[in-house]
Amino acid sequence: MDNPWLRFGVFFLLNSLFFLLVPSISTPLNPTSCFDYDKFMVMGQGWLNGLIPGKDLFDNKGPVTYFFQMAALATGTGKWGIWILEVLWGTWTCGLLYRIGNVMKCRRAINLAAIMIFFMLSVYYIDGGNRVEEWSLPFLCLPLYYCIASQSPQKIPVNHIFIIGLCFGIIVLIRLNNTAIILGLGIAQAIAMGCLKHFRQLMTQASWFVAGASVVIIPFGLSMHYTMKYSAHIPTISFTWAIGTMNIPYSKIQYALSPSSSLLRLA
């Protein structure tokens, strides 16, 4: 698929069918909804109607997650708006995965097989659909593509470093845990540059990375601080911690409520 428009069309069609038929909750074919889907939709609809996340509404994910919901719901098409955004995100992700395969000089058949495996794995981690994992995917694949395409740590252009920082900032405000891949790439980059004794270039790259992340994090951070400052219900520090990660206590709650753990305690 050397023609980019043909490639876009194929990936768009695959994602259209996938997000229509596979997710059990976000698909427009299912008129009902529940779990995270409902929470995200309420946050997005509330924001669209003038309510402020963190002040008038609260959930334990980042504000960018709810911004995506608001953008999708602004189309006035309900669940179809979420589906359209999911299809576009999935198409973008497939395109990046195909490009990663190309720079690694993989055969076309291997590239396409990898994308089909991606769809198979997506059945598990996307689950009911409209999940923070799928919203994070393009912002994880793009830094990975830039790092692989450069073929050398000191050859990554500063504009790519800036975009990698931007992706990091976006994922921080989707869900902090999902930044692990970018952090891993950053640590590897720092070690490689240190071994090559390119410390000045490393500091330059770090500065551009921080600048990119700041473009996203600082405006959202200032906005949250201002809105929550006058909220009597949710302290700023609590909300800031919550949007980063509530996985540790959240997992403990899930474990405590699971049937297996109850049986173990009874035993």
Side-chain angles (χ1 to χ4, degrees), residues 3-74:
N3 187 319
W5 288 107
L6 174 61
R7 190 163 61 239
F8 171 82
V10 171
F11 292 157
F12 186 85
L13 179 60
L14 285 173
N15 279 279
S16 298
L17 294 173
F18 179 85
F19 284 105
L20 192 65
L21 302 175
V22 175
S24 58
I25 299 172
S26 67
T27 172
L29 302 179
N30 181 1
T32 63
S33 60
C34 56
F35 305 126
D36 282 356
Y37 186 95
D38 268 346
K39 292 188 289 184
F40 295 170
M41 290 278 278
V42 167
M43 296 291 286
Q45 189 66 56
W47 201 351
L48 188 63
N49 292 337
L51 299 179
I52 301 172
K55 180 183 178 183
D56 305 310
L57 299 166
F58 179 74
D59 186 34
N60 67 323
K61 299 299 187 294
V64 170
T65 304
Y66 313 129
F67 180 81
F68 292 154
Q69 310 296 308
M70 180 179 67
L73 292 170

Coordinates of all heavy atoms in Angstrom, one line a residue, residues 3-74:
N3 N 0.4 3.9 -1.9 CA -0.4 5.1 -2.0 C -1.0 5.5 -0.6 O -1.7 4.7 0.0 CB -1.6 4.8 -3.0 CG -2.4 6.1 -3.3 OD1 -2.7 6.9 -2.4 ND2 -2.8 6.2 -4.6
P4 N -0.6 6.7 -0.1 CA -1.1 7.0 1.2 C -2.6 7.1 1.3 O -3.1 6.9 2.4 CB -0.4 8.4 1.5 CG 0.0 8.9 0.1 CD 0.2 7.7 -0.7
W5 N -3.3 7.6 0.3 CA -4.7 7.7 0.3 C -5.4 6.3 0.4 O -6.4 6.1 1.1 CB -5.2 8.5 -0.9 CG -4.9 9.9 -0.7 CD1 -3.9 10.6 -1.4 CD2 -5.5 10.9 0.2 NE1 -3.9 12.0 -1.0 CE2 -4.8 12.1 0.0 CE3 -6.5 10.8 1.2 CZ2 -5.2 13.3 0.7 CZ3 -6.8 11.9 1.9 CH2 -6.1 13.2 1.6
L6 N -4.8 5.4 -0.4 CA -5.3 4.0 -0.3 C -5.1 3.4 1.1 O -6.0 2.8 1.7 CB -4.6 3.1 -1.4 CG -5.0 1.6 -1.3 CD1 -6.5 1.4 -1.6 CD2 -4.1 0.9 -2.3
R7 N -4.0 3.7 1.6 CA -3.6 3.2 3.0 C -4.6 3.8 4.0 O -5.1 3.1 4.9 CB -2.2 3.5 3.3 CG -1.7 2.9 4.6 CD -0.2 2.9 4.6 NE 0.4 4.3 4.6 CZ 1.2 4.7 3.7 NH1 1.6 4.0 2.7 NH2 1.7 6.0 3.8
F8 N -4.8 5.1 3.9 CA -5.8 5.8 4.8 C -7.2 5.2 4.7 O -7.8 4.9 5.7 CB -5.8 7.3 4.5 CG -6.9 8.0 5.2 CD1 -6.7 8.4 6.5 CD2 -8.1 8.3 4.6 CE1 -7.7 9.1 7.2 CE2 -9.1 8.9 5.3 CZ -8.9 9.3 6.6
G9 N -7.6 4.9 3.4 CA -8.9 4.4 3.2 C -9.1 3.0 3.8 O -10.1 2.7 4.4
V10 N -8.1 2.1 3.6 CA -8.1 0.8 4.2 C -8.2 0.8 5.7 O -9.0 0.1 6.3 CB -6.9 -0.1 3.7 CG1 -6.9 -1.4 4.5 CG2 -7.0 -0.3 2.2
F11 N -7.3 1.6 6.3 CA -7.3 1.7 7.8 C -8.6 2.3 8.3 O -9.1 1.9 9.4 CB -6.1 2.5 8.2 CG -4.7 1.9 8.0 CD1 -3.6 2.6 7.9 CD2 -4.7 0.5 7.9 CE1 -2.3 2.0 7.7 CE2 -3.4 -0.2 7.6 CZ -2.3 0.6 7.5
F12 N -9.1 3.3 7.6 CA -10.3 3.9 8.0 C -11.5 2.9 8.0 O -12.3 2.9 8.9 CB -10.6 5.2 7.1 CG -11.8 6.0 7.6 CD1 -11.7 7.0 8.5 CD2 -13.1 5.7 7.1 CE1 -12.8 7.7 9.0 CE2 -14.2 6.5 7.5 CZ -14.0 7.4 8.4
L13 N -11.5 2.2 6.9 CA -12.6 1.1 6.8 C -12.5 0.1 7.9 O -13.5 -0.3 8.5 CB -12.5 0.5 5.4 CG -13.6 -0.6 5.2 CD1 -15.0 -0.1 5.3 CD2 -13.3 -1.2 3.8
L14 N -11.3 -0.4 8.1 CA -11.0 -1.4 9.2 C -11.5 -0.9 10.5 O -12.1 -1.6 11.3 CB -9.6 -1.8 9.2 CG -9.1 -2.7 8.1 CD1 -7.6 -2.9 8.1 CD2 -9.8 -4.1 8.1
N15 N -11.1 0.3 10.9 CA -11.4 0.9 12.2 C -12.9 1.2 12.3 O -13.5 1.1 13.4 CB -10.6 2.2 12.4 CG -9.2 1.9 12.9 OD1 -9.0 1.6 14.1 ND2 -8.2 1.9 12.0
S16 N -13.5 1.6 11.2 CA -15.0 1.9 11.2 C -15.7 0.6 11.6 O -16.6 0.6 12.4 CB -15.4 2.4 9.8 OG -14.8 3.6 9.5
L17 N -15.3 -0.5 10.9 CA -16.0 -1.8 11.2 C -15.7 -2.3 12.6 O -16.5 -2.8 13.3 CB -15.6 -2.8 10.2 CG -16.0 -2.6 8.8 CD1 -15.4 -3.6 7.8 CD2 -17.6 -2.7 8.7
F18 N -14.4 -2.1 13.0 CA -13.9 -2.6 14.3 C -14.7 -1.9 15.4 O -15.3 -2.6 16.3 CB -12.4 -2.4 14.5 CG -11.9 -2.8 15.8 CD1 -11.5 -4.1 16.0 CD2 -11.8 -1.9 16.9 CE1 -11.1 -4.5 17.3 CE2 -11.3 -2.3 18.1 CZ -10.9 -3.6 18.3
F19 N -14.8 -0.5 15.4 CA -15.4 0.2 16.5 C -16.9 0.2 16.4 O -17.6 0.5 17.4 CB -14.9 1.6 16.5 CG -13.5 1.8 17.1 CD1 -12.4 2.0 16.2 CD2 -13.3 1.6 18.4 CE1 -11.2 2.1 16.8 CE2 -12.0 1.7 19.0 CZ -10.9 2.0 18.1
L20 N -17.4 -0.3 15.3 CA -18.9 -0.5 15.2 C -19.3 -1.9 15.7 O -20.4 -2.0 16.3 CB -19.3 -0.4 13.7 CG -20.8 -0.2 13.4 CD1 -21.4 1.1 14.0 CD2 -21.1 -0.3 11.9
L21 N -18.5 -2.9 15.5 CA -18.9 -4.3 15.8 C -18.3 -4.8 17.1 O -18.9 -5.7 17.7 CB -18.6 -5.2 14.6 CG -19.2 -4.8 13.3 CD1 -18.7 -5.7 12.2 CD2 -20.7 -4.8 13.4
V22 N -17.1 -4.4 17.5 CA -16.4 -5.0 18.6 C -16.6 -4.5 20.0 O -17.0 -5.2 20.9 CB -14.8 -5.1 18.3 CG1 -14.1 -5.6 19.5 CG2 -14.6 -5.9 17.0
P23 N -16.5 -3.2 20.2 CA -16.7 -2.7 21.6 C -18.2 -2.9 22.0 O -19.1 -2.6 21.2 CB -16.4 -1.2 21.5 CG -15.5 -1.0 20.3 CD -16.0 -2.1 19.3
S24 N -18.3 -3.4 23.2 CA -19.7 -3.7 23.6 C -20.5 -2.5 24.1 O -21.7 -2.6 24.2 CB -19.6 -4.8 24.7 OG -18.8 -4.3 25.8
I25 N -19.8 -1.5 24.5 CA -20.5 -0.3 25.1 C -20.5 0.9 24.2 O -21.6 1.5 24.0 CB -19.9 0.0 26.4 CG1 -20.0 -1.2 27.4 CG2 -20.6 1.3 27.1 CD1 -19.3 -1.0 28.7
S26 N -19.4 1.3 23.6 CA -19.3 2.5 22.9 C -19.9 2.4 21.5 O -20.1 3.5 20.9 CB -17.8 3.0 22.8 OG -17.1 2.1 22.0
T27 N -20.1 1.2 21.0 CA -20.7 1.1 19.6 C -22.1 1.8 19.6 O -22.9 1.6 20.5 CB -20.8 -0.3 19.2 OG1 -21.6 -0.4 18.0 CG2 -21.6 -1.2 20.3
P28 N -22.3 2.6 18.5 CA -23.7 3.2 18.4 C -24.8 2.2 18.2 O -26.0 2.6 18.3 CB -23.5 4.1 17.1 CG -22.0 4.3 16.9 CD -21.4 3.0 17.5
L29 N -24.4 1.0 17.9 CA -25.5 -0.1 17.7 C -26.1 -0.5 19.1 O -27.1 -1.1 19.1 CB -24.9 -1.3 17.0 CG -24.3 -1.1 15.7 CD1 -23.7 -2.4 15.1 CD2 -25.3 -0.5 14.7
N30 N -25.4 -0.1 20.2 CA -25.9 -0.4 21.5 C -26.5 0.8 22.1 O -25.7 1.8 22.4 CB -24.7 -1.0 22.4 CG -25.2 -1.3 23.8 OD1 -26.4 -1.2 24.1 ND2 -24.3 -1.7 24.6
P31 N -27.8 0.9 22.3 CA -28.4 2.2 22.8 C -28.1 2.4 24.3 O -28.3 3.5 24.8 CB -29.9 2.0 22.6 CG -30.0 0.5 22.6 CD -28.8 -0.1 22.0
T32 N -27.6 1.4 25.0 CA -27.3 1.6 26.4 C -25.9 1.9 26.7 O -25.0 1.8 25.8 CB -27.7 0.3 27.2 OG1 -26.9 -0.8 26.8 CG2 -29.2 0.0 27.0
S33 N -25.5 2.3 27.9 CA -24.1 2.5 28.2 C -23.9 2.3 29.7 O -24.9 2.3 30.5 CB -23.7 3.9 27.8 OG -24.5 4.9 28.5
C34 N -22.7 2.1 30.1 CA -22.4 1.9 31.6 C -20.9 2.1 31.8 O -20.1 2.4 30.9 CB -22.8 0.5 32.0 SG -22.1 -0.8 31.0
F35 N -20.5 1.9 33.1 CA -19.1 2.0 33.5 C -18.4 3.3 33.1 O -19.0 4.3 33.2 CB -18.3 0.7 33.0 CG -19.0 -0.6 33.3 CD1 -19.3 -1.5 32.3 CD2 -19.3 -0.9 34.6 CE1 -19.9 -2.7 32.6 CE2 -19.9 -2.1 35.0 CZ -20.2 -3.0 34.0
D36 N -17.1 3.2 32.7 CA -16.3 4.4 32.4 C -17.0 5.2 31.3 O -16.9 6.4 31.3 CB -14.9 4.0 31.9 CG -14.0 3.6 33.1 OD1 -14.5 3.7 34.3 OD2 -12.9 3.2 32.9
Y37 N -17.6 4.5 30.3 CA -18.2 5.3 29.2 C -19.2 6.3 29.7 O -19.2 7.5 29.3 CB -19.0 4.3 28.3 CG -19.5 4.9 27.0 CD1 -18.8 4.9 25.9 CD2 -20.8 5.5 27.0 CE1 -19.3 5.5 24.7 CE2 -21.3 6.1 25.9 CZ -20.5 6.1 24.7 OH -21.0 6.7 23.6
D38 N -20.1 5.9 30.7 CA -21.0 6.8 31.2 C -20.4 8.0 31.9 O -20.8 9.1 31.8 CB -22.0 6.1 32.2 CG -23.2 5.5 31.5 OD1 -23.5 6.0 30.4 OD2 -23.9 4.7 32.1
K39 N -19.4 7.7 32.8 CA -18.7 8.7 33.5 C -18.0 9.7 32.6 O -18.1 10.9 32.8 CB -17.6 8.1 34.4 CG -18.2 7.3 35.6 CD -17.1 6.8 36.6 CE -16.2 5.8 35.9 NZ -15.2 5.3 36.9
F40 N -17.3 9.2 31.6 CA -16.7 10.1 30.6 C -17.7 11.0 29.9 O -17.5 12.2 29.7 CB -15.8 9.4 29.6 CG -14.7 8.6 30.2 CD1 -14.0 7.7 29.5 CD2 -14.3 8.8 31.6 CE1 -12.9 7.0 30.0 CE2 -13.2 8.1 32.1 CZ -12.6 7.2 31.4
M41 N -18.8 10.4 29.5 CA -19.8 11.1 28.8 C -20.5 12.2 29.6 O -20.7 13.3 29.2 CB -20.9 10.2 28.3 CG -20.4 9.2 27.2 SD -20.5 10.0 25.5 CE -22.2 9.8 25.1
V42 N -20.7 11.9 30.9 CA -21.3 12.9 31.8 C -20.3 14.1 32.0 O -20.7 15.2 32.0 CB -21.6 12.2 33.2 CG1 -21.9 13.3 34.2 CG2 -22.8 11.3 33.0
M43 N -19.0 13.8 32.1 CA -18.0 14.8 32.3 C -18.0 15.7 31.0 O -17.9 16.9 31.1 CB -16.7 14.2 32.6 CG -16.6 13.4 33.9 SD -16.7 14.5 35.4 CE -15.1 15.3 35.4
G44 N -17.9 15.0 29.9 CA -17.9 15.8 28.6 C -19.1 16.6 28.4 O -19.0 17.8 27.9
Q45 N -20.3 16.0 28.6 CA -21.5 16.7 28.4 C -21.7 17.9 29.4 O -22.1 19.0 29.0 CB -22.7 15.8 28.6 CG -24.1 16.4 28.2 CD -24.1 16.6 26.7 OE1 -23.9 15.8 25.9 NE2 -24.4 17.9 26.3
G46 N -21.2 17.7 30.6 CA -21.3 18.7 31.6 C -20.4 19.9 31.2 O -20.8 21.1 31.3
W47 N -19.2 19.6 30.8 CA -18.2 20.6 30.3 C -18.8 21.4 29.1 O -18.7 22.6 29.1 CB -16.9 20.0 29.9 CG -15.7 20.9 30.0 CD1 -15.7 22.2 30.1 CD2 -14.3 20.5 29.8 NE1 -14.4 22.7 30.1 CE2 -13.6 21.7 29.9 CE3 -13.7 19.3 29.6 CZ2 -12.2 21.7 29.8 CZ3 -12.3 19.3 29.5 CH2 -11.6 20.5 29.6
L48 N -19.4 20.7 28.2 CA -20.1 21.3 27.0 C -21.2 22.2 27.5 O -21.4 23.2 26.8 CB -20.6 20.2 26.1 CG -21.1 20.6 24.7 CD1 -20.0 21.2 23.9 CD2 -21.7 19.4 24.0
N49 N -21.8 21.9 28.6 CA -23.0 22.7 29.0 C -22.5 23.8 30.0 O -23.4 24.4 30.7 CB -24.0 21.8 29.7 CG -24.7 21.0 28.6 OD1 -24.7 21.3 27.4 ND2 -25.3 19.8 29.1
G50 N -21.2 24.0 30.2 CA -20.8 25.1 31.1 C -20.3 24.7 32.5 O -19.8 25.5 33.2
L51 N -20.5 23.4 32.8 CA -19.9 22.9 34.1 C -18.4 22.8 34.0 O -17.9 22.6 32.9 CB -20.6 21.6 34.5 CG -22.1 21.7 34.7 CD1 -22.7 20.3 35.0 CD2 -22.5 22.7 35.7
I52 N -17.8 22.8 35.2 CA -16.3 22.8 35.2 C -15.8 21.5 35.8 O -16.1 21.3 37.0 CB -15.7 24.0 35.9 CG1 -16.2 25.3 35.3 CG2 -14.2 24.0 36.0 CD1 -15.9 26.5 36.0
P53 N -15.1 20.7 35.1 CA -14.5 19.5 35.7 C -13.6 19.8 36.8 O -12.7 20.7 36.7 CB -13.7 18.8 34.5 CG -14.3 19.4 33.3 CD -14.8 20.8 33.6
G54 N -13.7 19.1 38.0 CA -12.9 19.4 39.1 C -13.6 20.3 40.1 O -13.2 20.4 41.3
K55 N -14.6 21.1 39.6 CA -15.3 22.0 40.5 C -16.8 21.5 40.6 O -17.3 21.3 41.7 CB -15.3 23.4 40.0 CG -16.0 24.4 40.8 CD -16.0 25.8 40.2 CE -16.8 26.8 41.1 NZ -16.8 28.1 40.5
D56 N -17.4 21.4 39.5 CA -18.8 21.0 39.5 C -19.0 19.5 39.3 O -20.0 18.9 39.7 CB -19.6 21.7 38.3 CG -19.4 23.2 38.4 OD1 -19.7 23.7 39.5 OD2 -19.1 23.8 37.4
L57 N -18.0 18.8 38.7 CA -18.0 17.4 38.4 C -16.7 16.8 38.7 O -15.6 17.5 38.7 CB -18.3 17.1 36.9 CG -19.7 17.6 36.4 CD1 -19.6 17.6 34.8 CD2 -20.8 16.8 36.9
F58 N -16.6 15.5 39.1 CA -15.4 14.9 39.5 C -15.3 13.5 39.0 O -16.3 12.7 39.1 CB -15.2 14.9 41.0 CG -13.9 14.3 41.4 CD1 -12.7 14.9 41.2 CD2 -13.9 13.0 42.0 CE1 -11.5 14.3 41.6 CE2 -12.7 12.4 42.4 CZ -11.5 13.1 42.2
D59 N -14.1 13.1 38.4 CA -13.8 11.7 38.1 C -12.3 11.6 38.2 O -11.6 12.6 38.3 CB -14.3 11.4 36.7 CG -14.2 9.9 36.4 OD1 -14.3 9.1 37.3 OD2 -13.9 9.5 35.2
N60 N -11.8 10.4 38.2 CA -10.4 10.1 38.5 C -9.5 10.0 37.2 O -8.5 9.4 37.2 CB -10.2 8.9 39.3 CG -10.6 7.6 38.6 OD1 -11.5 7.6 37.8 ND2 -9.9 6.5 38.8
K61 N -9.9 10.6 36.1 CA -9.1 10.7 34.9 C -8.7 12.1 34.6 O -9.3 13.0 35.2 CB -9.8 10.0 33.7 CG -10.2 8.6 33.9 CD -9.0 7.7 34.1 CE -9.3 6.2 34.1 NZ -10.2 5.8 35.2
G62 N -7.8 12.3 33.7 CA -7.4 13.6 33.3 C -8.3 14.4 32.5 O -9.2 13.9 31.8
P63 N -8.2 15.8 32.5 CA -9.1 16.7 31.8 C -9.1 16.5 30.3 O -10.1 16.8 29.6 CB -8.7 18.1 32.2 CG -7.3 17.9 32.7 CD -7.2 16.5 33.3
V64 N -8.0 16.0 29.7 CA -7.9 15.9 28.3 C -8.9 14.7 27.8 O -9.5 14.8 26.8 CB -6.5 15.5 27.8 CG1 -6.5 15.1 26.3 CG2 -5.6 16.8 27.9
T65 N -9.1 13.7 28.7 CA -10.1 12.7 28.4 C -11.4 13.3 28.2 O -12.2 12.9 27.3 CB -10.1 11.7 29.6 OG1 -8.8 11.1 29.8 CG2 -11.0 10.5 29.3
Y66 N -11.8 14.2 29.1 CA -13.1 14.8 29.1 C -13.2 15.8 27.9 O -14.3 16.0 27.4 CB -13.5 15.4 30.4 CG -13.2 14.5 31.6 CD1 -12.4 15.0 32.6 CD2 -13.6 13.2 31.6 CE1 -12.1 14.2 33.7 CE2 -13.3 12.4 32.6 CZ -12.5 12.9 33.7 OH -12.2 12.0 34.7
F67 N -12.1 16.4 27.6 CA -12.1 17.3 26.4 C -12.4 16.6 25.1 O -13.1 17.1 24.3 CB -10.7 18.0 26.3 CG -10.6 19.0 25.2 CD1 -11.1 20.3 25.3 CD2 -10.0 18.6 24.0 CE1 -11.0 21.2 24.3 CE2 -9.9 19.5 22.9 CZ -10.4 20.8 23.1
F68 N -11.9 15.4 25.0 CA -12.2 14.6 23.8 C -13.7 14.2 23.8 O -14.3 14.3 22.7 CB -11.4 13.2 23.8 CG -9.9 13.4 23.6 CD1 -9.0 12.5 24.1 CD2 -9.4 14.5 22.9 CE1 -7.6 12.6 23.9 CE2 -8.1 14.7 22.7 CZ -7.2 13.7 23.2
Q69 N -14.3 13.9 25.0 CA -15.7 13.6 25.0 C -16.5 14.9 24.6 O -17.5 14.7 23.9 CB -16.1 13.2 26.5 CG -15.2 12.1 27.1 CD -15.3 10.8 26.4 OE1 -16.4 10.3 26.1 NE2 -14.1 10.3 26.0
M70 N -16.1 16.0 25.1 CA -16.8 17.3 24.8 C -16.7 17.5 23.3 O -17.8 17.9 22.7 CB -16.2 18.4 25.6 CG -16.9 19.8 25.4 SD -16.1 21.1 26.3 CE -14.5 21.2 25.6
A71 N -15.6 17.3 22.7 CA -15.4 17.6 21.3 C -16.3 16.6 20.5 O -17.0 17.1 19.5 CB -14.0 17.4 20.9
A72 N -16.4 15.4 20.9 CA -17.2 14.4 20.2 C -18.7 14.7 20.3 O -19.5 14.7 19.4 CB -16.9 13.0 20.7
L73 N -19.1 15.1 21.5 CA -20.5 15.4 21.8 C -20.9 16.7 21.2 O -22.1 16.9 21.0 CB -20.7 15.4 23.3 CG -20.6 14.1 24.0 CD1 -20.6 14.2 25.5 CD2 -21.7 13.1 23.6
A74 N -20.0 17.6 20.9 CA -20.3 18.9 20.3 C -20.8 18.7 18.9 O -21.5 19.6 18.4 CB -19.0 19.8 20.3

